Amino acid sequence: MVIASLADGVVRSVENAGDRISETFFEPVIRLGVTGLARAGKTVFITSLVANLLDRGRMPGLAAAQEGRIVAAFLQPQPDDTVPRFEYERHLRALTSAEPHWPDSTRAISELRLSLRVQPKGMLAGLQGPRTVHVDIVDYPGEWLLDLALLDQSYDQWAGDALSWLDKRASAQGFMERARAVDPTAAHDEQLAQDLATRFARYLGIARKEGYHRCTPGRFLLPGDLAGSPVLTFAPIPFAEPSRRGSLHREMERRFEAYKSKVVKPFFRDHFARIDRQVVLVDALGAINSGPEAVGDMRRAMSEILAAFKPGRNAFLTRLLRGKRVEKILFAATKADHLHHLQHPRLTAIMEALTRDARDKAQFAGADTAALSLAALRATTEEMRSHGGSDLPCVRGSLLNPDGTRGKQAAFYPGALPEDPAQLIGPAMNGDTEWLGAGYQAMSFAPAPLTLSPGDGPPHIRLDRAAQFLLGDRL
Ligand SMILES: Nc1nc2c(ncn2[C@@H]2O[C@H](COP(=O)(O)OP(=O)(O)OP(=O)(O)O)[C@@H](O)[C@H]2O)c(=O)[nH]1
Ligand SMILES: [Mg+2]
């Protein structure tokens, strides 16, 4: 333990020194983390943000762009050699081809460096030439932040918790039968361990489809190159004294600890601890459409995710960060183009309410936070339609076919979001199974074919405001 924590500290301070030297003597680097739960809109957000920073015609809300002080923007090789590059060109091609389609699901960490040549403003403007600011954008799954809570738990605490919620869910009964039948004191058997882990992972996949967000350990759903390795070959099993050497229980315990030290800690040390600014994307409309349970579960997942941004909550993280903290956190409700702009303030209010507790605490710790609703890639236009004597604010777009292709054009009124977010959060926290009164319906739209004028990036809603909040003060 002591050796591990010393090593964490040393790596961190060397990195700190490196960051500081390059900032003072060379060119400032902003590390921008982009996270959110699966399908929140991370890939589309980064692709459109980068395209709109390269061609800034649609970025009036970004002051440096509006003032004409960004003289050049270009992509460069990223500084981290072992992190996959964010496949910007491929994702942009998907969104802007003649038959545009949404990019594939990504589900792992990736990184991209965008460099901006910026003319300083104020007193120095006339004296200095442009300077270079690097923006390192890091895309990582929000599920990985949920794993932070595991660091505070022993195997038996985690397994006990997991078994108690699995017990209540009908779709987990296949796994539960198997788990109840094992003898934890029997000698470890690799076939059995693999069978339990496979069933457990399969159940987590079902839970995700059922709309549950808190499906830890996070890598069971997104194993990447760890698939099949012992750190992912464990499952919760009941506790029984004594836990003997060589027993199934002891091996499960050992692998759980290995998952914490070889998977969870390195992510926080190598990636999370180096982030300066963070955007947390939330598909709030999707959750509202799925019903109160999904909203309640999302609210809990959000507060667990945001716990990672509260310094002091976790001893490992406190030691790792050593006083460094994320300076700005933006909470953004994505896919706002599903709604007429008249409803956007309500969506933002819901976003604020979903993250209120966590926001208050993060603010208290010195981070500057904001909430807004945006669409990284606008797929609809707005129109008013008269219906039963009143005007309904609608959006129009091409519906998305189940196979991902573009279907017919339709105008759509999703229903009214409540003015008071408590009307959503209340039933969600009470465990209601359906919204009372008028429902809310979501629609999936296909990306629209684009004809971009020179100098313009893809159409969006409030992406410039997001960029101003996240980067504006450093440009
Ligand atoms: N209308 C609209 N739909 C969007 C927008 N952004 C994302 N979507 C939809 O949300 C889906 C998921 O977006 P991604 O950017 O792939 O989400 P992600 O968070 O990277 O998802 P994973 O990689 O699977 O975790 C897309 O396939 C679109 O259907 C947007 O700005 N407008
Ligand atoms: Mg993605």
Side-chain angles (χ1 to χ4, degrees), residues 38-44 102 105-107 335 337-338 375-377 379:
R39 311 312 285 152
K42 302 177 287 293
T43 303
V44 177
W102 296 111
S105 181
T106 42
R107 307 293 178 86
K335 314 179 195 181
D337 58 328
H338 284 101
L377 188 87

Side-chain angles (χ1 to χ4, degrees), residues 167-216:
D167 211 19
K168 298 190 196 96
R169 296 184 187 169
S171 50
Q173 292 315 308
F175 168 77
M176 284 305 290
E177 263 168 42
R178 195 88 176 104
R180 273 194 219 101
V182 300
D183 173 5
T185 62
H188 168 70
D189 167 358
E190 187 57 33
Q191 292 303 311
L192 177 58
Q194 282 182 16
D195 182 48
L196 285 164
T198 310
R199 284 167 192 262
F200 179 56
R202 199 181 302 144
Y203 169 69
L204 290 177
I206 294 171
R208 157 64 43 71
K209 290 210 183 75
E210 289 177 340
Y212 292 103
H213 297 100
R214 293 171 306 141
C215 304
T216 53

Side-chain angles (χ1 to χ4, degrees), residues 93-419:
R93 224 178 300 126
L95 293 172
T96 58
S97 68
E99 271 299 315
H101 52 94
W102 296 111
D104 295 336
S105 181
T106 42
R107 307 293 178 86
I109 191 161
S110 64
E111 182 181 341
L112 187 73
R113 168 166 284 194
L114 174 76
S115 301
L116 302 168
R117 297 276 297 157
V118 186
Q119 184 65 47
K121 65 173 177 182
M123 298 219 303
L124 297 175
L127 302 172
Q128 280 183 338
R131 67 200 166 89
T132 304
V133 178
H134 303 291
V135 184
D136 289 344
I137 304 176
V138 184
D139 171 7
Y140 66 93
E143 285 79 359
W144 294 6
L145 294 179
L146 296 177
D147 277 348
L148 183 66
L150 300 183
L151 295 182
D152 292 330
Q153 294 180 321
S154 68
Y155 172 72
D156 287 311
Q157 283 169 335
W158 171 76
D161 265 9
L163 291 172
S164 74
W165 54 258
L166 286 166
D167 211 19
K168 298 190 196 96
R169 296 184 187 169
S171 50
Q173 292 315 308
F175 168 77
M176 284 305 290
E177 263 168 42
R178 195 88 176 104
R180 273 194 219 101
V182 300
D183 173 5
T185 62
H188 168 70
D189 167 358
E190 187 57 33
Q191 292 303 311
L192 177 58
Q194 282 182 16
D195 182 48
L196 285 164
T198 310
R199 284 167 192 262
F200 179 56
R202 199 181 302 144
Y203 169 69
L204 290 177
I206 294 171
R208 157 64 43 71
K209 290 210 183 75
E210 289 177 340
Y212 292 103
H213 297 100
R214 293 171 306 141
C215 304
T216 53
R219 290 313 152 95
F220 274 57
L221 286 174
L222 322 167
D225 51 10
L226 293 173
S229 64
V231 282
L232 296 193
T233 313
F234 66 91
I237 57 168
F239 176 61
E241 298 258 39
S243 175
R244 275 198 218 93
R245 274 179 72 178
S247 66
L248 181 66
H249 178 271
R250 185 63 72 84
E251 186 58 18
M252 290 283 171
E253 188 171 38
R254 196 190 67 72
R255 292 178 183 191
F256 176 77
E257 292 302 326
Y259 180 81
K260 291 188 336 193
S261 65
K262 303 240 165 61
V263 179
V264 183
K265 285 188 173 184
F267 163 68
F268 279 92
R269 187 185 59 220
D270 301 341
H271 303 295
F272 183 77
R274 296 166 60 208
I275 286 169
D276 304 310
R277 301 189 170 190
Q278 178 68 52
V279 48
V280 180
L281 301 175
V282 182
D283 181 8
L285 290 173
I288 294 168
N289 182 48
S290 301
E293 282 176 309
V295 172
D297 185 64
M298 167 172 276
R299 184 171 181 267
R300 280 186 292 273
M302 287 311 294
S303 76
E304 280 179 30
I305 283 184
L306 298 175
F309 296 100
K310 289 182 225 159
R313 186 195 158 275
N314 181 286
F316 162 75
L317 207 54
T318 308
R319 204 165 52 231
L320 194 62
L321 295 174
R322 311 260 229 78
K324 175 185 162 35
R325 60 185 46 133
V326 175
E327 303 154 338
K328 283 171 175 273
I329 311 173
L330 176 68
F331 302 100
T334 50
K335 314 179 195 181
D337 58 328
H338 284 101
L339 290 180
H340 193 280
H341 74 270
L342 292 175
Q343 293 215 53
H344 289 182
R346 295 183 179 190
L347 179 60
T348 306
I350 291 166
M351 190 64 215
E352 275 171 347
L354 276 173
T355 54
R356 170 120 330 124
D357 292 354
R359 266 158 53 85
D360 289 348
K361 286 174 191 136
Q363 232 144 13
F364 183 65
D368 187 6
T369 65
L372 60 76
S373 4
L374 59 79
L377 188 87
R378 183 174 191 159
T380 64
T381 53
E382 298 186 339
E383 65 183 48
M384 282 296 199
R385 303 207 118 200
S386 54
H387 180 81
S390 59
D391 279 343
L392 284 186
C394 297
V395 290
R396 168 179 285 280
S398 305
L399 301 181
L400 187 67
N401 291 328
D403 65 355
T405 57
R406 206 146 46 91
K408 64 177 197 310
Q409 278 265 330
F412 181 69
Y413 177 67
L417 291 177
E419 194 157 359

